Amino acid sequence: MSSMNTAVHRLVGLLLVLAALLPAGAAAAFADPPVSVEVQDTAGVLDRNTLIPALEGIDFYEPTRVVIYTYNGSTEDNLNEEVLRFARSEHPEWISSDGQKWADGLFIFALDPVGRHVGTYMGEDRKVSLEQRSDIQDAAKDLLRDAQWTDGTVAGVRRAAELINQPWYLSAAFLVTAWVTAGTAALGAAAWITVRAVTRSSSRKEIERGDQSYANVSMDLEVTELNAGTIPEASRYGGHVLEKHRTFLNRYNTASQLSNKVHALSSRDLGRRRHLKLTREYADAASELDALDDVIADTNALLNKAGTWPTAWDRQLAPFRKDLAGLEQLLTKRHGQGDSTTAAALRSFRDQSHRDIERWTAELAEEKISPEKALDRLYDARSRLAVLLENHAQTVIEGFAKSEREAQLMRKEMQAAQDGLNHKRRRSYEPSILGTVYPSYHFFSVATFNSGLNTGVSSVSSARGGGGSTTGYGSSGGSFSGSGSSSSF
């Protein structure tokens, strides 16, 4: 019995050493950036300036051509069939010479933001299992449900790079077999190592985020104090911003203490969950201070009509302009109820608001209105937009939901989005004068509406039984049998 225990212990030790060496092996295996990156964004939803550099920075195990294809379809569409149709008509080089498979060395990530489908397709030499294709799609879905089309695409391609042509010693099957053989102790140790590694990486990213903001705040500290010293306290907006400033130095000192604490942590310390919480607290504190010192500068410049007031005023208008610019895409998307009376009210408001912005800016420049009055008008307009969006949300819910239960589910998702919580359940902060005076959830933005609608539609669709993988290429696919599948999100 003792000899058997010794053998098991040796095996466990050997596998633990292997686990410790695997990250180095994995890094060596990731050696090939994409041979090419081709983006066919027919849906017009991707930010190429962000997307292409991000994809070019992803390493695959083997040289791989990456294609991104988007189109605006419908819930009932078969994305596989559409991708094949597009390839046959526009890009036959995506298909093998015999016309039956996808071309060797190719990986296609496809997205239908309207029909809410995501698909993955690959040449036979890049083929992965159906389960792994679902894994790639799932890696993108949380971001896609939030209408973060570019980030979701990057996340999907990154996961594909981790799975396509994955070396045997990194495969899930090998690792599971090895650790089961080694026993529960080895599995526990491997899990511990993995959790520590992920936590350590997350902690370092939070410190990097905090350091960038903290450096900005420290560099501008004297200027921030000078700006605060000349903000008119009698102004309603100036008074509110000054209330935030009165705690600025105390919060800066707190951020400094947090900075000292996180930079004193060893690499081993950074792998502990409680220290990840500390690094996140530091990053959040520094980021909010970084945003607040900009708001203090803008408040001083605008309320005192300093030389830089036009730039400060533009920054106050930016969130409202972004909402107005995003209305048409919201209204024309599937389930957007663009032909409704509430949609017409939004379009009318948008057109009038563009004229109002020009008038406010001209009157402000000519000193026909005060900066405070201009901010009042902006506040009223954004509040009016929030009411119109709430009215339209009810129209959309009534148009999509088939029962009161579905309507309640959609209203719940809309409300959760409007409450202003991000994916980490932390409230977002708008770095503007109005965003500082009022809570983030006071204004119902177009981005919030989109997020709530996407999540609501997804939740209802899942409740109806959607979301499963589809592997067929439809009636037009013929005998085509290339590796690929799609699913809804």
Side-chain angles (χ1 to χ4, degrees):
M1 180 65 71
S2 61
S3 60
M4 183 179 296
N5 287 340
T6 299
V8 170
H9 288 160
R10 286 176 178 172
L11 179 57
V12 170
L14 177 62
L15 288 170
L16 286 174
V17 169
L18 175 61
L21 293 175
L22 279 180
F30 273 101
D32 294 294
V35 173
S36 62
V37 173
E38 182 178 353
V39 179
Q40 296 291 330
D41 182 23
T42 68
V45 295
L46 301 176
D47 177 2
R48 291 173 179 268
N49 292 331
T50 301
L51 178 67
I52 293 177
L55 297 183
E56 289 175 344
I58 295 174
D59 283 339
F60 285 74
Y61 292 113
E62 299 288 344
T64 301
R65 294 165 50 208
V66 174
V67 169
I68 309 299
Y69 171 57
T70 74
Y71 95 113
N72 290 321
S74 68
T75 306
E76 296 77 20
D77 283 356
N78 180 341
L79 181 58
N80 306 339
E81 188 173 22
E82 164 56 27
V83 173
L84 179 58
R85 181 205 64 76
F86 182 78
R88 282 171 169 171
S89 63
E90 303 293 335
H91 290 278
E93 73 276 9
W94 294 357
I95 300 174
S96 62
S97 57
D98 62 5
Q100 301 302 302
K101 306 283 186 181
W102 296 110
D104 282 348
L106 181 70
F107 169 70
I108 303 173
F109 183 92
L111 170 65
D112 173 5
V114 177
R116 303 183 67 74
H117 300 294
V118 58
T120 48
Y121 312 90
M122 54 209 72
E124 292 302 292
D125 62 342
R126 297 292 182 271
K127 183 167 64 175
V128 298
S129 67
L130 176 60
E131 181 181 3
Q132 288 175 318
R133 294 200 296 270
S134 296
D135 189 351
I136 295 168
Q137 294 159 26
D138 289 344
K141 285 183 179 179
D142 280 347
L143 290 163
L144 297 181
R145 288 174 185 135
D146 264 350
Q148 297 185 52
W149 312 122
T150 301
D151 290 344
T153 299
V154 173
V157 175
R158 181 176 292 115
R159 184 57 180 150
E162 294 171 353
L163 295 177
I164 293 174
N165 298 121
Q166 187 182 63
W168 63 269
Y169 55 82
L170 291 178
S171 70
F174 167 75
L175 292 176
V176 169
T177 301
W179 293 123
V180 167
T181 302
T184 303
L187 283 171
W192 180 84
I193 290 170
T194 301
V195 168
R196 284 297 180 94
V198 171
T199 302
R200 186 178 297 111
S201 175
S202 298
S203 294
R204 285 173 174 155
K205 288 178 181 178
E206 292 295 336
I207 292 175
E208 182 179 348
R209 179 167 71 95
D211 284 349
Q212 184 174 356
S213 295
Y214 183 75
N216 292 338
V217 174
S218 299
M219 184 171 57
D220 295 337
L221 198 57
E222 290 186 10
V223 176
T224 299
E225 292 306 301
L226 290 173
N227 284 327
T230 51
I231 290 176
E233 193 165 1
S235 162
R236 251 186 358 272
Y237 296 102
H240 279 293
V241 172
L242 283 173
E243 284 180 13
K244 297 283 188 180
H245 171 261
R246 289 187 184 100
T247 61
F248 189 90
L249 284 180
N250 287 337
R251 292 159 68 185
Y252 176 75
N253 290 333
T254 299
S256 298
Q257 293 170 5
L258 289 170
S259 176
N260 292 334
K261 287 181 180 179
V262 299
H263 285 98
L265 297 173
S266 65
S267 178
R268 182 176 182 180
D269 291 334
L270 292 175
R272 294 172 179 161
R273 293 293 299 178
R274 69 177 185 274
H275 291 142
L276 172 59
K277 182 179 179 181
L278 180 66
T279 60
R280 187 169 291 153
E281 182 183 354
Y282 163 59
D284 287 345
S287 297
E288 188 166 337
L289 283 174
D290 192 15
L292 182 56
D293 68 5
D294 291 339
V295 172
I296 290 170
D298 284 346
T299 305
N300 176 53
L302 182 60
L303 295 183
N304 289 310
K305 293 294 292 291
T308 57
W309 77 262
T311 302
W313 173 238
D314 279 342
R315 277 198 283 262
Q316 309 318 303
L317 291 171
F320 188 44
R321 281 176 167 152
K322 182 178 180 182
D323 280 337
L324 297 177
L327 275 176
E328 195 59 33
Q329 185 178 1
L330 181 155
L331 297 175
T332 54
K333 69 189 298 183
R334 184 170 174 80
H335 312 305
Q337 298 295 321
D339 296 330
S340 63
T341 56
T342 52
L346 281 166
R347 288 190 175 103
S348 176
F349 173 81
R350 175 197 60 199
D351 296 341
Q352 180 60 48
S353 293
H354 283 309
R355 293 190 291 270
D356 288 342
I357 287 173
E358 290 184 9
R359 179 167 52 84
W360 302 337
T361 302
E363 291 178 349
L364 189 56
E366 295 166 5
E367 298 188 352
K368 291 181 178 180
I369 60 172
S370 66
E372 185 161 307
K373 183 64 176 177
L375 288 170
D376 285 342
R377 291 181 179 180
L378 180 57
Y379 167 81
D380 291 341
R382 293 186 67 183
S383 298
R384 175 63 180 155
L385 175 60
V387 172
L388 293 173
L389 285 172
E390 287 170 358
N391 294 341
H392 190 61
Q394 188 57 39
T395 299
V396 170
I397 290 170
E398 290 173 357
F400 184 78
K402 296 180 180 179
S403 66
E404 179 56 28
R405 182 178 180 181
E406 289 185 354
Q408 289 179 353
L409 179 57
M410 291 189 72
R411 281 193 288 268
K412 178 182 177 182
E413 297 294 356
M414 280 284 190
Q415 187 60 53
Q418 194 173 359
D419 282 344
L421 298 177
N422 65 16
H423 70 286
K424 293 180 180 177
R425 309 303 294 171
R426 298 199 294 273
R427 290 204 181 277
S428 57
Y429 171 64
E430 179 187 293
S432 69
I433 296 173
L434 292 182
T436 301
V437 173
Y438 299 98
S440 60
Y441 50 86
H442 186 85
F443 303 110
F444 193 9
S445 69
V446 170
T448 297
F449 187 104
N450 269 319
S451 177
L453 173 59
N454 291 338
T455 308
V457 168
S458 179
S459 297
V460 170
S461 297
S462 296
R464 291 175 182 172
S469 291
T470 300
T471 56
Y473 287 91
S475 58
S476 66
S479 59
F480 188 83
S481 58
S483 177
S485 65
S486 61
S487 59
S488 61
F489 57 87

